[in-house]
Amino acid sequence: MPFDPVMLRNLADAVLILHVGIVLFVVAGLVLTLVGGALRWRWVRNFWFRAVHLAAIAYVALQAWFDFACPLTTLEQWLRIQAGQIAYEGDFIGYWLGRLLFYQAPGWIFIATYSLFGLLVGWSWFAVRPTAPFHSGAGTRLK
């Protein structure tokens, strides 16, 4: 039984929105960690937030280094092809989020950008130290 093209297009849009959300998490996560460290926000020192953040950018950087396609991009493109679409044709969400997220540049630009960003996130672990993984934080004084 073939899938409904509208449903597939909506699923592709949902994957694209998730993809943009992950990009925002990675970029805003670093900015908020550095700002929050300076302003002594406790939540930016949460170990699990920081570990997931570091893992996300490490995954992206390794993907770039080893020239692996992003599974979210692959899934979104497959869904669009199954829906009979060609690269965001006529779809507002797909078109604009795609333009924000995907751009053309030589591969080394992406490798350098993701690697430098990953190094910044790694450096932030020393600049704004996370709490211990199972530490409640109660009664502690931030330095």
Side-chain angles (χ1 to χ4, degrees):
M1 173 164 122
F3 290 103
D4 176 32
V6 173
M7 180 189 70
L8 291 169
R9 189 170 52 247
N10 289 339
L11 285 172
D13 287 344
V15 171
L16 181 60
I17 290 168
L18 172 65
H19 203 171
V20 170
I22 291 169
V23 170
L24 289 174
F25 169 72
V26 170
V27 173
L30 177 60
V31 172
L32 291 172
T33 295
L34 297 176
V35 169
L39 296 176
R40 298 187 183 273
W41 297 342
R42 287 182 181 246
W43 69 268
V44 299
R45 294 180 181 272
N46 178 281
F47 176 83
W48 298 110
F49 162 71
R50 300 290 294 282
V52 170
H53 185 247
L54 182 61
I57 188 59
Y59 179 80
V60 170
L62 287 172
Q63 230 179 280
W65 274 97
F66 292 106
D67 197 27
F68 292 144
C70 175
L72 291 175
T73 301
T74 303
L75 176 59
E76 180 206 350
Q77 289 174 348
W78 181 84
L79 288 167
R80 292 199 187 282
I81 290 168
Q82 298 306 308
Q85 267 191 321
I86 301 172
Y88 311 121
E89 181 180 294
D91 185 85
F92 178 80
I93 292 172
Y95 178 77
W96 286 106
L97 290 182
R99 285 191 55 133
L100 287 172
L101 193 58
F102 304 113
Y103 43 90
Q104 297 296 319
W108 69 268
I109 297 282
F110 295 103
I111 292 170
T113 301
Y114 299 152
S115 297
L116 288 172
F117 200 88
L119 289 172
L120 276 172
V121 172
W123 170 79
S124 76
W125 274 67
F126 298 100
V128 181
R129 294 187 187 275
T131 57
F134 298 104
H135 187 274
S136 69
T140 61
R141 197 173 128 227
L142 297 177
K143 293 182 179 184

